[in-house]
Amino acid sequence: MPYSTTARRAALRRIAAAAAAVASLSPLLSTTARAAEPQVLRVSAIPDEAPTELQRKFKPLGEYLSQATGMKVVFTPVSDYAAVVESLATRKLDLAWLGGFTYVQARIRTGGTAIPLVQREEDARFTSRFITADPAIQGLADLKGKTFAFGAPSSTSGSLMPRYYLQQAGIQPERDFKTVAYSGAHDATVAFVAAGKAEAGVLNASVWDKLVETKKVDPAKVRVFATTPPYFDYNWTVRGDLDPAVVQKLKAAFLALDAARPEHKAILELQRATRFIATQPENYDGIQDAAKAAGLLK
């Protein structure tokens, strides 16, 4: 039997009411779904080693930070040092492993808002090692007229601080070396020197020690002939407008890492750290002064 006009109107009212009820629930359902999804912490690091090595080193640390913060931790390797600085400044990254000079660059690029959170205890007295396979090279003065390899141009331990100390010793690389090359990474510098692509080079002490321990370099063939004085270097930096509650959770998680606990010891060993300690912007003022003296900052 066909519906009467009154019946049709009643049916339409019921359909409209049901649709309105569903619509009223939609924001709540959407909010609930969003709340169920973990917040993402976006992390990267300066590419001072091969991307596969950086990923390997970060994996257990990322899992630990995820547990400590309740966030999904995503590590994204980048192609160069400048990309990390720019990504922090444009809010594409939340947390980054930086060298001392890269932090200074990030501090300048972000108008002083980037926050150095923690550093390894070893980073308070970091050094660089000058290496060679040439028996005639016994000291810095012997580098004159030789081919030389730095790491990446923005590397603190592979470029800036070695350059600064060379200048303190009266050596101007572009004037006094036969050629100056940039390998791009610390392990690549060792490969350059081992293969004879450069008669000497410089890299950070931590990577050198790791390569020797893992027998990826033969110290009888490639040797250390000089070491820089100590300086502040690496740190974990957060962008300045990251949620303060997240910042505190991250800092507490790093400081809680304890080598006496087996699960923490594995993380610390991969980071080549005995423990993490708090750091502050003032620690890197000397790096900024050295960069200005070396002509790398105005």
Side-chain angles (χ1 to χ4, degrees), residues 11 26 105 124 128-129 143 161 167 187 200 218 247 257 267 270:
S26 295
Q105 292 173 314
S128 298
R129 305 272 175 83
L143 292 174
M161 296 311 290
Q167 291 173 340
D187 45 5
D218 183 352
V247 173
L257 285 167
I267 294 171
L270 278 173

Side-chain angles (χ1 to χ4, degrees), residues 241-273:
D241 57 351
L242 186 62
D243 182 347
V246 174
V247 173
Q248 287 307 309
K249 285 181 180 179
L250 287 170
K251 186 173 185 177
F254 276 109
L255 297 181
L257 285 167
D258 182 356
R261 300 175 61 178
E263 66 274 23
H264 289 186
K265 183 180 180 182
I267 294 171
L268 289 167
E269 285 180 346
L270 278 173
Q271 299 300 309
R272 299 196 68 77

Side-chain angles (χ1 to χ4, degrees), residues 53 56 187 190-191 194 210-218:
E53 177 63 8
R56 184 185 75 86
D187 45 5
V190 175
K210 182 181 72 174
L211 293 174
V212 172
E213 289 167 12
T214 56
K215 302 188 184 304
K216 291 183 178 178
V217 61
D218 183 352

Side-chain angles (χ1 to χ4, degrees), residues 131-134 137 145-150 177-185 187-202 221-222:
I131 60 170
T132 187
D134 184 347
I137 297 176
K146 304 294 185 180
T147 57
F148 191 87
F150 290 106
F177 295 161
K178 183 177 180 180
T179 61
V180 173
Y182 290 91
S183 72
D187 45 5
T189 297
V190 175
F192 268 43
V193 174
K197 294 182 180 179
E199 292 168 283
V202 67
K221 295 179 180 178
V222 178

Side-chain angles (χ1 to χ4, degrees), residues 42 85-94 239-242:
R42 300 161 300 175
V85 172
E86 191 62 21
S87 293
L88 268 178
T90 55
R91 303 178 73 250
K92 293 177 182 176
L93 285 177
D94 305 307
R239 59 180 174 86
D241 57 351
L242 186 62

Side-chain angles (χ1 to χ4, degrees), residues 39-97:
Q39 187 180 350
V40 174
L41 185 76
R42 300 161 300 175
V43 185
S44 193
I46 54 172
D48 59 347
E49 295 184 82
T52 52
E53 177 63 8
L54 292 177
Q55 291 271 24
R56 184 185 75 86
K57 285 168 55 177
F58 183 75
K59 188 175 184 296
L61 176 60
E63 293 169 351
Y64 169 74
L65 294 178
S66 180
Q67 292 173 357
T69 62
M71 302 172 72
K72 179 181 179 181
V73 177
V74 177
F75 183 87
T76 304
V78 295
S79 58
D80 56 40
Y81 284 51
V84 181
V85 172
E86 191 62 21
S87 293
L88 268 178
T90 55
R91 303 178 73 250
K92 293 177 182 176
L93 285 177
D94 305 307
L95 174 69
W97 175 244

